[in-house]
Amino acid sequence: MTSLQDFLLERDYVKIKLKLTKTNHFEIRATINGIKGLFILDTGASSSCVGFEAIDTFKLKVKDSEIKAAGAGATNMATQLSKKNRLKIGKWKKDKVSLILFNMTHVNTALMHHNSRPVDGIIGADILKKGKAIIDYDRKYLYLKKFMIT
C-alpha cells in the first residue's frame, strides 16, 4: 500500500514540516518577499495575515482597508491590505498574494503567556485553498500542490 507521502509527492505536492507548539498550534516557516518569518497555520482564518509591525520587515506596500478583522477574542479591528506579494513555503511558491495587516499584539501576547514564541503572522485558508493543502496531523506535515506553468 502506498503511503500518503508517496501518493502526494507523485502528484506534484511539496512536503513542509510543521512544528506543534505548546498552545497546540502548528508553526510554519515561510518567506514573504524574500524575508523569512514564523507563522501559525490556521485553517479557521479566512485570510492570511501579518502584523502592522511587519510592513517594513517584509517590504509590504499597504493601503487602508474597509474590512474589519475579528478573531482570537478581538473584534472590529482596523486592517490594511497588501497585494502582489511573493510567498514561499518550503519549495512551494506563489506570486500576487494578498495579505491582511492588523494588530497582532493580542495573538502574540497569548502565545507568550503560554511560553510559545511570537509569530509574524498567520497562514490562513486562502493560501491553503490555493495550494490544495493536505495536512497530515499525525506526522506533522503540510502538503501543497505545485503550480504548473502552462
Side-chain angles (χ1 to χ4, degrees):
M1 184 165 98
T2 303
S3 70
L4 176 64
Q5 173 181 289
D6 293 340
F7 179 83
L8 293 173
L9 294 177
E10 287 172 5
R11 285 158 181 78
D12 290 322
Y13 276 79
V14 297
K15 179 172 98 168
I16 300 116
K17 184 68 177 161
L18 300 171
K19 180 184 176 199
L20 190 63
T21 68
K22 294 174 184 172
T23 58
N24 227 17
H25 291 98
F26 280 128
E27 277 182 353
I28 189 166
R29 298 244 174 229
T31 303
I32 298 174
N33 301 327
I35 311 298
K36 293 178 184 176
L38 184 64
F39 298 83
I40 289 175
L41 186 70
D42 187 348
T43 60
S46 57
S47 300
S48 294
C49 316
V50 293
F52 287 132
E53 62 282 352
I55 292 171
D56 292 332
T57 304
F58 294 117
K59 303 173 187 167
L60 303 175
K61 293 181 179 131
V62 299
K63 51 180 151 177
D64 290 334
S65 171
E66 297 295 320
I67 298 168
K68 297 293 182 188
T75 59
N76 208 29
M77 294 181 292
T79 65
Q80 290 181 308
L81 178 64
S82 178
K83 296 182 178 181
K84 299 182 182 175
N85 296 289
R86 292 180 329 276
L87 177 66
K88 184 173 184 256
I89 304 172
K91 294 180 181 176
W92 185 86
K93 298 176 189 174
K94 180 78 174 118
D95 290 334
K96 299 179 184 171
V97 172
S98 293
L99 298 167
I100 303 293
L101 287 88
F102 72 103
N103 184 340
M104 288 192 50
T105 302
H106 66 287
V107 173
N108 283 322
T109 299
L111 290 171
M112 290 185 295
H113 182 71
H114 291 282
N115 298 317
S116 288
R117 296 182 289 184
V119 295
D120 296 299
I122 297 164
I123 301 297
D126 56 339
I127 297 301
L128 299 174
K129 283 170 43 180
K130 286 177 185 171
K132 299 183 180 190
I134 296 173
I135 301 171
D136 182 341
Y137 286 91
D138 187 42
R139 291 184 175 81
K140 299 177 186 76
Y141 284 105
L142 169 67
Y143 294 90
L144 296 171
K145 178 97 169 150
K146 289 183 200 174
F147 285 96
M148 305 309 289
I149 299 171
T150 55

